[in-house]
Amino acid sequence: MAAAPRDRRRRGRTPGAASAAAAEDDGEEHHLNPFLSDEAPSSSRIQFRNVASRARWVEDAGEAEVLDSKGKLWLTTGVTRGGKLYYNVEEIGFLAERGALVLLDDEDETIGLEKIYKKIAGGNYGCSWDAFQAYKHLKVLGYIVGRYGVPWTVKHSGTCEVTDSPKSMADTERCSDRANGACNDITKFLKQMHIDGIYPSFEVHLPNSKFKKSCPGVPIFLLCLLRDKPPSRDELETVENKFEGIPLKFCQVDNGRISFLSFDNVTLPSLP
Amino acid sequence: MSGPRWKKAKDGKDFSALAAASPMSSIVAELQSSLKRSRPVATISSHGEDAILGVSPHQAILLNQAAFGRFVENAGGEKQWFQLGAEEVFYLCHALKCVVVELESGKQMSEGELWDHLCSASESFPEMYKAYSHLRSKNWVVRSGLQYGTDFIAYRHHPALVHSEFAVVVVPEGAELGGRCGRLKVWSDLLCALRASGSVAKTLLVLTISSSICELGSPDCLEQLFVHERTITRWIAQQCREQRCEPCRVEPSKEEEGHTRETVVLNYWGVILGFTVLSTLLVYKLRF
């Protein structure tokens, strides 16, 4: 949109530009005037892919098995199990919106965006609508986002085996920790539903052209979705105690607008 | 936490050295001993929280330097007049024990009576005062934050020397305090507080005051109140990313192309450079 770059330049001239920009980032929405033309809103911001990959929806697993994968998106999206690539429901939604994926059913009929949205909105496949908004927001900016607790890659096929000890992941312990996570996404999600309090939904890595699923490294933060009320001190302390080490960020989704927040435990110094 | 932003003097140097030479603890200590010697009396308004205090010119300088109260302009006379807020007057009276407070009738108040008076003027006085004294006891300068939509603003030293670092919101919790209409219980309130603090370049500091006791009838309850410090900051996904690499939206084909092109170009020059180095070395070796 033409409005956005101009605003960025204007902001740059004012003092305290960085903080002003931070404050204004979610500031006045730039409205395209819908009364000026008879045309429907167009998706001018999204770059659509010319060639789409194909994946088949597997109802039992709640995910799609990728049949042919075009381009390099698969390097940072989806889970590799026994040599096959699987996309979960938020990944399918994100890719399908961009025309990068065609989802097929058992009879090779295309599952359209409406049905994909329904799967997400239903919340039965491990990702809520709000979580999908947060996922998209980060993916569009290039971040590498995976479901928390789900290994990026599993050597053996089948959903209930654990990877063998990672000789190839010579690097660090953390690689084996990731790979030894529980295998069944949906079971995990259902378990989480019964966990009281706040729990991470995603792990987030910085954009990285050298990202490897076999050794993803430590995420820059874990993202927890917050619900209808701000978290209490108890809730924050509980989740912090569970996940010492990796920074936690929290997000609040309001009709597609995402606020990413940190609630840091601090101790103000005593001054001289 | 980001560090202090010191203001600059006319010669361009910042005031950090001046602040270091005059630590707040010594200013407050000097103020305290000077006031104790003269035993000034502050008059508190009958139904309100504000108090007026008359002091000597030297004490006025110290009150100003320690950032207590607001100087009241007037025509002159021996005394200089300062208007003190509820937390300030109680701090001088109870924590520093250097000021006595009386009603306009002339009746002097004990600390307990002053506590009752201030609590009846404002239901949230206990937690507000606990937060205020918590920060002051760490030698932070604490001023009202009402104009910014927060409870307090905290400075590392005098506001003339340094920009404020924290916009403080006080949140009561626990048996006695939790029933109050506390702050930050809904998203609109939290995001509003965050936005208000952000627009003046301060970090939002939330002081949660929890109490394990059930009665707040005397200042002794202060020892049973605990202060938990937490900052709330907003993370801008775009800005974080822009610090690391070229800002660009996910446009898969362009991104891949760009990377491939970049890699190819680097490899090309790498080869040229390598070749040049190797051939130079070879020639060198052959000659000698």
Side-chain angles (χ1 to χ4, degrees):
Chain A
M1 284 189 289
R6 237 185 284 130
D7 279 344
R8 236 175 272 137
R9 266 183 271 132
R10 205 186 302 138
R11 277 183 229 145
R13 285 191 214 116
T14 59
S19 48
E24 280 173 42
D25 179 81
D26 60 336
E28 277 217 45
E29 292 186 46
H30 301 292
H31 293 278
L32 279 173
N33 192 334
F35 297 96
L36 291 181
S37 85
D38 289 331
E39 291 171 20
S42 68
S43 300
S44 53
R45 282 192 292 169
I46 298 180
Q47 282 283 329
F48 292 111
R49 302 219 49 189
N50 295 326
V51 184
S53 303
R54 295 179 317 142
R56 182 175 296 119
W57 178 252
V58 180
E59 181 62 37
D60 290 344
E63 50 189 13
E65 182 185 326
V66 180
L67 304 171
D68 47 62
S69 143
K70 308 259 181 350
K72 290 191 180 174
L73 285 172
W74 69 271
L75 285 170
T76 56
T77 314
V79 158
T80 306
R81 254 186 241 120
K84 288 188 186 168
L85 182 66
Y86 296 87
Y87 288 147
N88 61 35
V89 84
E90 63 268 26
E91 291 165 333
I92 293 167
F94 169 70
L95 294 170
E97 277 184 349
R98 272 137 202 86
L101 182 75
V102 170
L103 187 66
L104 305 171
D105 63 15
D106 287 334
E107 279 115 45
D108 277 359
E109 298 289 324
T110 303
I111 301 177
L113 209 47
E114 180 181 347
K115 291 223 172 82
I116 294 174
Y117 283 152
K118 283 200 165 113
K119 288 186 200 301
I120 299 170
N124 293 319
Y125 299 107
C127 182
S128 65
W129 186 259
D130 279 357
F132 174 56
Q133 303 301 312
Y135 175 85
K136 255 204 294 186
H137 184 97
L138 292 172
K139 285 292 286 187
V140 159
L141 294 171
Y143 290 91
I144 297 167
V145 186
R147 275 201 196 167
Y148 176 73
V150 174
W152 291 93
T153 173
V154 174
K155 285 229 165 106
H156 301 296
S157 60
T159 50
C160 287
E161 296 196 41
V162 178
T163 54
D164 53 0
S165 81
K167 291 177 222 146
S168 55
M169 306 180 215
D171 291 16
T172 51
E173 269 177 6
R174 51 182 198 240
C175 296
S176 58
D177 282 346
R178 290 284 300 113
N180 285 340
C183 301
N184 191 317
D185 295 11
I186 305 303
T187 312
K188 255 192 104 70
F189 173 68
L190 291 173
K191 275 194 200 145
Q192 283 172 31
M193 297 262 283
H194 298 296
I195 293 176
D196 288 330
I198 305 164
Y199 201 80
S201 298
F202 298 113
E203 62 172 65
V204 180
H205 301 255
L206 283 170
N208 178 6
S209 58
K210 298 194 177 66
F211 181 82
K212 283 194 178 57
K213 287 181 185 175
S214 54
C215 192
V218 177
I220 47 165
F221 62 85
L222 302 179
L223 187 66
C224 305
L225 252 79
L226 295 174
R227 293 169 301 227
D228 63 328
K229 282 190 293 186
S232 69
R233 185 173 64 86
D234 275 340
E235 286 177 315
L236 287 169
E237 285 179 3
T238 306
V239 71
E240 275 169 357
N241 289 336
K242 279 190 211 153
F243 298 98
E244 284 184 23
I246 304 182
L248 294 172
K249 285 207 195 297
F250 302 83
C251 77
Q252 190 266 343
V253 182
D254 159 49
N255 192 9
R257 296 174 68 78
I258 326 270
S259 295
F260 294 97
L261 306 171
S262 297
F263 292 84
D264 296 323
N265 209 342
V266 297
T267 306
L268 252 63
S270 276
L271 300 174
Chain B
M1 281 187 283
S2 53
R5 291 192 303 135
W6 295 101
K7 294 184 176 174
K8 287 194 162 63
K10 287 200 177 121
D11 62 3
K13 292 186 194 154
D14 71 27
F15 286 120
S16 57
L18 176 56
S22 305
M24 193 49 62
S25 58
S26 28
I27 300 171
V28 172
E30 200 186 330
L31 170 70
Q32 180 186 30
S33 64
S34 175
L35 288 175
K36 271 185 173 173
R37 280 196 297 274
S38 63
R39 307 188 61 78
V41 177
T43 303
I44 194 155
S45 65
S46 304
H47 302 292
E49 318 174 299
D50 288 349
I52 188 99
L53 177 70
V55 294
S56 71
H58 176 64
Q59 289 164 344
I61 292 172
L62 294 170
L63 269 176
N64 264 329
Q65 287 183 346
F68 279 101
R70 295 170 71 85
F71 177 67
V72 180
E73 304 272 359
N74 60 55
E78 290 168 10
K79 282 194 179 173
Q80 314 256 306
W81 295 94
F82 280 77
Q83 184 163 307
L84 301 169
E87 292 84 19
E88 290 173 325
V89 71
F90 198 75
Y91 192 77
L92 290 169
C93 173
H94 174 72
L96 299 183
K97 302 209 188 304
C98 57
V99 159
V100 171
V101 183
E102 68 181 21
L103 290 164
E104 41 96 12
S105 61
K107 177 184 178 299
Q108 277 194 3
M109 303 170 92
S110 67
E111 287 175 21
E113 284 166 339
L114 181 57
W115 173 264
D116 288 339
H117 180 95
L118 292 169
C119 286
S120 58
S122 165
E123 190 190 34
S124 58
F125 181 73
E127 58 262 31
M128 291 298 163
Y129 178 73
K130 182 66 189 179
Y132 179 90
S133 60
H134 172 80
L135 293 172
R136 271 285 188 187
S137 68
K138 291 194 191 185
N139 295 309
W140 286 78
V141 169
V142 190
R143 306 289 286 174
S144 168
L146 227 48
Q147 69 203 97
Y148 299 108
T150 64
D151 295 313
F152 299 111
I153 301 287
Y155 300 80
R156 199 170 276 254
H157 204 281
H158 193 281
L161 305 185
V162 67
H163 293 282
S164 72
E165 267 166 81
F166 296 106
V168 185
V169 170
V170 180
V171 177
E173 181 194 283
E176 181 64 25
L177 302 174
R180 301 223 216 283
C181 278
R183 290 292 308 271
L184 311 184
K185 293 206 161 129
V186 292
W187 281 114
S188 53
D189 190 24
L190 189 151
L191 294 171
C192 176
L194 193 57
R195 192 180 178 85
S197 66
S199 66
V200 283
K202 302 174 204 320
T203 303
L204 180 61
L205 175 68
V206 178
L207 296 182
T208 305
I209 316 295
S210 64
S211 75
S212 53
I213 43 110
C214 282
E215 64 89 26
L216 302 164
S218 88
D220 296 335
C221 75
L222 289 167
E223 283 162 38
Q224 308 298 327
L225 296 179
F226 297 99
V227 181
H228 310 269
E229 299 171 351
R230 202 171 271 279
T231 55
I232 304 181
T233 44
R234 182 188 282 281
W235 178 72
I236 310 290
Q238 289 90 332
Q239 283 187 0
C240 177
R241 186 172 186 275
E242 281 163 21
Q243 281 165 10
R244 286 279 299 214
C245 58
E246 288 293 299
C248 62
R249 310 211 129 200
V250 151
E251 297 160 353
S253 43
K254 271 197 193 169
E255 214 175 50
E256 290 158 11
E257 254 176 76
H259 270 297
T260 322
R261 206 186 306 130
E262 203 179 54
T263 323
V264 166
V265 164
L266 282 173
N267 286 344
Y268 173 76
W269 285 109
V271 166
I272 300 289
L273 188 67
F275 185 77
T276 313
V277 168
L278 281 171
S279 53
T280 312
L281 279 172
L282 197 63
V283 166
Y284 209 74
K285 272 214 140 170
L286 287 171
R287 282 221 176 148
F288 297 97

